[in-house]
Amino acid sequence: MKAHKSVKLKIRPPLRDGCCKPHRGKLTTLLGSALLCWTTAFAVQPATPAEVAAAAASSNQRFTLRQLGALKPFALRGLDGRDGVPFNVRADSVITKASLKLSYSYSPDLLADLSKINVLINGEVAASLPLPKQIGSGPVEQTVSLPPQMITEFNNLTLQLIGHYSMQCEDPAHTSLWATVSNKSVLELTTEPIAVANDLALLPEPFFDRRDPRPLTLPFVFANNPDDATLEAAGSLSSWFGALASYRGAQFPASINAVPASGHAIVLIGNPSAIPGLEIPPLTGPTLAIIANPRDPNGKLLLVMGRDGQELKSAAAALAVAGKSLSGQRLVLAQSAQPAARRPYDAPRWLRSDRAVKLGELGTAQTLNVSGYNPGAIAIKLRVPPDLFGWNDKGIPLDLKYRYTPQPSLVNSSLTIGLNDQFVKSLPLLPIERLGSGTLLAKLQSDETLPMQAKAHLPLAMLRPESQLQLRYMYDYIKQGECRDVIIDNVRGAIEPDSTLDISGYSHFLAMPDLAAFGGSGFPFTRLADLSQTAVVLPDAPNAQEVSAYLAVLGRLGESTGYPGTRITVTRTAKVAGAADKDLLLIASGDRQPLLKSWASAMPAGLDAGARSGLSELLDHAISWGAAYLPDRLKPTSAAQGFNRAGMNAYFAGFESPLKSGRSVVVVWGAEGEGLQAGVDALLGSEDKNQGIAGRLAIVRGKQLDSLVEQPAYHIGDLDWFTRMRWTLSQNLSLYALASALAAGLATLLVFVTLRSLSRKRLPA
Amino acid sequence: MRPTAGLSACAQLDGHVKTAATPLGSANPATGSGRTWRLHPVLSAWVAAVTGVAVSMAISVPLDLYQQLGFGLISVIAALLIRRSRWGKLAVIALIVLSLTGSLRYMYWRLGSTLAFDSLLEGVLGWILVGAEMYALTILMLGYLQTAWPLRRSPQPLPADQQQWPSVDIFIPSYNEPLSVVRMTVLAAQAIDWPADKLRIYLLDDGRRDDFKAFCVEAGAGYLTRADNTHAKAGNLNAALGRTDGEFVAVFDCDHIPTRSFLQVTMGSFLQDPKLAMLQTPHHFFSPDPFEKNFKTFHKVPNEADLFYGLVQDGNDLWNAAFFCGSCAVLRRAPLLEVGGVAVETVTEDAHTSLKMSRKGYNLAYLAIPQAAGLATESLSAHIGQRIRWARGMAQIFRIDNPLLGPGLSLGQRLCYVNAMLHFFYGLPRLVFLTSPLAYLFFSAQVFQASGTMVLAYALPHILLSIITNSRIQGKFRHSFWNEVYETVLAWYITWPVLLALISPKLGIFKVTAKGGIVRKSYYDWRMGLPYLVLLGLNLLGLGAGAIRLASGSAPGATVAINLVWCLYNIIIISASILVAREARQLRSTPRVAAVLPATVMWPNGRTTVCETLDFSSSGVGLKVSDQTKFNIGAEIQIAISRGDIETVLTGVVAQLGENLGIDFKHLSIAQQRELALITFSRADNWTGTWGKTKLDAPFSALRDLLVFGLMNLFSLTVRSALVWPRKLGRQTGSVRIKTP
């Protein structure tokens, strides 16, 4: 296994992986001090004998290039065009066979004897495909087998076009030099499992392996009737795994009293409950252990145990917060305090709102530097709280410091700032001759790049829950004439790490209910990353589907924040009043949740069709007059009409808590059976999280999702009274006119009375 | 005659006070009705808080284009209705509130949404324009503060017992003015009704001229000189303070002729309020100032000084911030000495002295009844010289004794004083406004980062509301847009001295305003007019450039149109300003005042001819005679003129024939001159009849007037040369009507 650790440098890291690395780093530093205390308190159990190696059972994995991160087909241009994707191999398996089923097409004008498409693995040529003159059109399909010995843990699969169209002088930018490789080309890997030690030090592997690009499915096993504390412990673990799984998505099928027949699973045991088939030695405190799955020698079970719910919770929290610094096969943890409570909006994956953020914190030096005439965009992932109040605002100020290689003469080079593929601003990259005097040239640094500064604003309307700031250098070059084009690829561009992005000036204020904020960012629950203001309301006796949905939703919240929900509260229908001062997440299926009936009056209108009175419709009409001034995503849609429950698998509903004003309720409801699963799939599944769940009601019918968007019913956030008042008045013109008239009248009267009394004092009686 | 005149003067005074008070007092039924309802303090604090919030909302809530247009339309319509209403002061304040809301709304939007400049050039020009606008808005707000509630003080009665009347020294400082100007002032001062043993007249001659001394000896007035001329007028007054001892000091510039009622009208207030240190009366001019002379608007359009003495000083009085203007004022000696006499640190010693007395807690007052009249500056250059001095002096005070800082002043006083100073800083902002549209028309520099329609939606209410409001407040004292002309004429000249004084108060020189002179023929003062000709040329070029832009369709129409209209407005104002530099002919060194009085010409042979006088000056009289054949140029005649119970017989020489006979006086004795003064300049109600009685402002007709003046001028300057301007301008005659008994 250690042999696989010969990690190669990734040439082009997948865009998605780029974001979770720094966050993870931050997480550990944040908790570093807490860890130190704990490790001293851990009583390490004597290691149990290593598990017997599992019998070999090979399995096939197929990945399209798209699954590996190529969102678009490879377009290879020029004399030496390259593109590639990373692919990795799970630590608990080894490649025995690998093949690449390529689907590609290429320019008919290429010289057959000189032109090739090379398949490179980690920079080494694994195969070279000739490009004969094509008879017909259409893509060529070819399967290339890749030598498994070239494949390591972390790999890069690169396709290279060696293209020539002429024996004489060639223009490297000639349009006939092209080949495209479909991103539906398939990489097929045959793997065999390898034995993994039962060692907590490996965590989160093998339960989660970041090398695996597929969605994470990790069963959670409970003993009979898990109590609230057990579910809370499970929630903090599932949100931890959700955070780890990141873009892959994570689901946690719950099973009661039964370990899964194959694969890995998490088992939560609170004394005195026991799970059939598992021998649990007596506990002395919160305990973590890894054992082999008794029903699958290649599977592992992570036992999270405690003598009561509290111990179980503290074991889960220790795992979630310090999961990567444990070791041994079994570990009894001293009871310890929870990590400090989080403050609002401090989720590790969210852009900090307490100060300006340096781009260096969001991307590595490697990602902030590019070379070449047309390098890809420097992509910086941004997660911005969904409740930034950007009324009458230019956008998030971006103070960009950048350097580039100035070209000798006037060309159309530029640095383009984009946000989510939308254009924001273009900065010209002036050539040396336009930079003029020696003073600027004097700033030229030894790496021949030039420090520049520019300001831009990222409009809030362009933001999504997961946004991408795209900074793209595009260099122009001047053709010197045939055979004189010796392009030296010496142009560089760099974004200075101390460029800043600043959302600290924004107030937090959001019109609710806004299920788009829930779907995209888990808002309002994720406002506190440890979910300390969240209470999950389950039916009094939740079934497996409901628990699975609960764990999946928590995983989704953890994915958004990057922090385990260690302070989540789980409560039941009967005890909901005790959680009045929290935002409520109701998870229910069928008719198992009576609150849905008793709160029907607070629920969105669509669910009890016909209950609306003529008066409220009239009111709606009056309000919709002002809808022209609403942001697009809050405008009423046609879904507001003609809603029916037929064929509904699941719905999401948002409304103000009937228990306390200013608190929010989000209901995740599924029809009996697979309904909740459909809901969870809708929550996790959509590729583009900006679309989909929105408004106050989102209905899932099979694969279809309809959202009902209406006028906001309430607002949450902390706007200063002045802005709040201005905002309210600007939304309501007649109120504004009234206020202005009142202002003028009162001011006149006040001034008149004041001046009159003053004049009486001044004049002799 | 002086002791006996006391009662008759008081009788005249009563009538006068009534006439003066009626038009002023009738406009405000709200104050007249004496209602005394009052807000409870806690309640009023709440009302103030609610008002503050509501006003800040009205100002700051952003609206889109059509909403803002609606807001503007409604407020302008409301303002027009209020302007015509009969609510008196309530209407004025409502208008001020509306205007300030519109203007602050504009500025809030301006600062928040129009300043994202793309280039350095635009940024620099844009910020300069914003700075000028903020200055203008500040002045607008302070101006409203000053003029919202003119106090309209009335004279206080004196005790019947003349023994209780205090002693008064009258100072008439002079430096280089001719004796003919000074003579009438001294004689009229002697004619003031006040117990003889309590009134002393002093001519303070810094020119140390023998003929002045001889005149004073002959007339029985005090004559004081000093060895040097340090600190000019202030030093002259201070020197005199050291050599006199009256309880009160009244100061008249040597060309300000007081009426006989001056002290009886003013002194009552001092007896009533022991803390009162100074009482100022208006400066009234019976000769046209350069604007009136060259525009020919004398007594049609209120002159430049009318606003200040008619409204601003009276409004200042509410805040106890009316200040001493160097002449036509009474000061209590003790407080004056307490602040070290007349201030010498700055060249506007009068305002600075008031400021010092205010800081000591003394009261200042203003009485809006003209009790003296004088000569206005005659040439534009002299006018400009005078204003440069005022501006420099105010800037000096702003620098060395800023009213916003230091002890002793109330907030109202600070703001009024500071506006008196800031007001003179208009030079640079005015020049910015006159050139701003050129930035776009010439260079396409977007100094205003907003769409043309948006600019209109915000700026129009701001501008219209302030025009409407000021027209209502100042209607009697300044016509709309004239302010622009007055300021534009001075802007070029005032800018540098003010900046210099701000940088270092000691820089710059002090010039005495020359008064009384002859302009033998009309001429164009090219030296004075040149900067404005350049500005006019630039704006005309801008107009052309804009027309080309509009025709080519390369630029957004609304933006070009706005800049063109702005440019056109600038052209009107500048052309009107250029007209002022065309100095009209003035033949008399002593301007005449119209007065129709019965007169009798007595021939050497004993025969008499009954006729009427037309007009007067201190050196001659115009007669209307039915049969002029008897008169020859150079013939010496005697004229008896009577008014009421006074009759005087004067000797004169026929100087001009025609329907209106011109007589120059000859060999008038002091007694004759004194009698002349009594029947002409000294009458108590001389000036109240005409003062502030020009026609009321109507903004459109004011603009039309200016347009006509400006374009006429433009035409005449381009078609004919200013140098061969035909000498067809008639003699300059004041049209003050002196009531005949």
Side-chain angles (χ1 to χ4, degrees), chain A residues 664-731:
Chain A
S664 304
V665 179
V666 171
V667 175
V668 182
W669 177 90
E672 206 72 66
E674 293 306 300
L676 269 175
Q677 187 57 44
V680 168
D681 287 346
L683 183 65
L684 303 180
S686 60
E687 284 275 327
D688 180 357
K689 294 199 175 73
N690 195 37
Q691 288 167 3
I693 300 169
R696 60 169 63 177
L697 181 64
I699 293 141
V700 182
R701 289 187 188 85
K703 298 273 175 203
Q704 189 193 342
L705 190 73
D706 292 317
S707 288
L708 173 66
V709 184
E710 278 182 13
Q711 290 304 308
Y714 63 104
H715 297 91
I716 56 170
D718 48 352
L719 217 49
D720 65 280
W721 68 268
F722 185 71
T723 314
R724 169 123 202 201
M725 212 154 165
R726 289 176 59 217
W727 184 77
T728 311
L729 288 180
S730 79
Q731 303 294 312

Side-chain angles (χ1 to χ4, degrees), chain A residues 392 726 733 736 760 762 764, chain B residues 35 58 60 62 105 317 320 364:
Chain A
N392 260 34
R726 289 176 59 217
L733 274 184
Y736 171 68
R760 284 180 180 164
R762 283 285 293 157
Chain B
R35 273 173 286 155
S60 70
R105 216 182 138 65
D317 202 5
N320 199 5
L364 307 173

Side-chain angles (χ1 to χ4, degrees), chain B residues 569-588:
Chain B
Y569 177 75
N570 283 345
I571 288 174
I572 296 174
I573 298 293
I574 297 171
S575 348
S577 310
I578 285 173
L579 186 71
V580 182
R582 198 192 62 206
E583 293 287 8
R585 185 172 74 142
Q586 175 165 315
L587 285 181
R588 284 196 184 75

Side-chain angles (χ1 to χ4, degrees), chain A residues 359 368 378 380 397-403 415-418 425 427 451-456 469-473 494-501:
Chain A
L359 293 190
L368 292 177
I378 297 172
I380 296 164
L398 168 67
D399 184 4
L400 193 63
K401 293 175 188 149
Y402 59 101
R403 289 178 293 131
L415 169 61
T416 310
I417 303 174
K425 189 171 184 172
L427 307 167
M452 300 291 278
Q453 196 161 7
K455 290 198 188 302
L469 173 64
Q470 292 143 336
L471 304 162
R472 183 163 193 186
Y473 281 97
I495 303 298
E496 295 284 355
D498 60 346
S499 307
T500 58
L501 203 57

Side-chain angles (χ1 to χ4, degrees), chain B residues 88-167:
Chain B
K89 291 189 167 167
L90 199 60
V92 167
I93 289 162
L95 281 173
I96 289 176
V97 166
L98 270 183
S99 168
L100 283 183
T101 307
S103 295
L104 289 173
R105 216 182 138 65
Y106 165 78
M107 191 47 80
Y108 189 92
W109 169 79
R110 180 87 170 93
L111 294 180
S113 314
T114 65
L115 299 180
F117 299 111
D118 292 333
S119 67
L120 189 68
L121 176 76
E122 285 180 0
V124 171
L125 294 179
W127 273 106
I128 288 176
L129 181 59
V130 173
E133 287 183 54
M134 288 179 70
Y135 168 82
L137 180 63
T138 309
I139 294 298
L140 182 76
M141 299 197 316
L142 291 175
Y144 285 154
L145 178 87
Q146 277 188 313
T147 56
W149 196 291
L151 194 58
R152 282 158 198 173
R153 194 178 278 280
S154 49
Q156 296 300 302
L158 286 161
D161 179 10
Q162 290 198 1
Q163 291 303 312
Q164 293 178 28
W165 298 12
S167 59

Side-chain angles (χ1 to χ4, degrees), chain A residues 627-642:
Chain A
Y629 312 108
L630 288 172
D632 276 345
R633 63 197 180 94
L634 291 183
K635 279 187 183 161
T637 62
S638 58
Q641 280 95 38

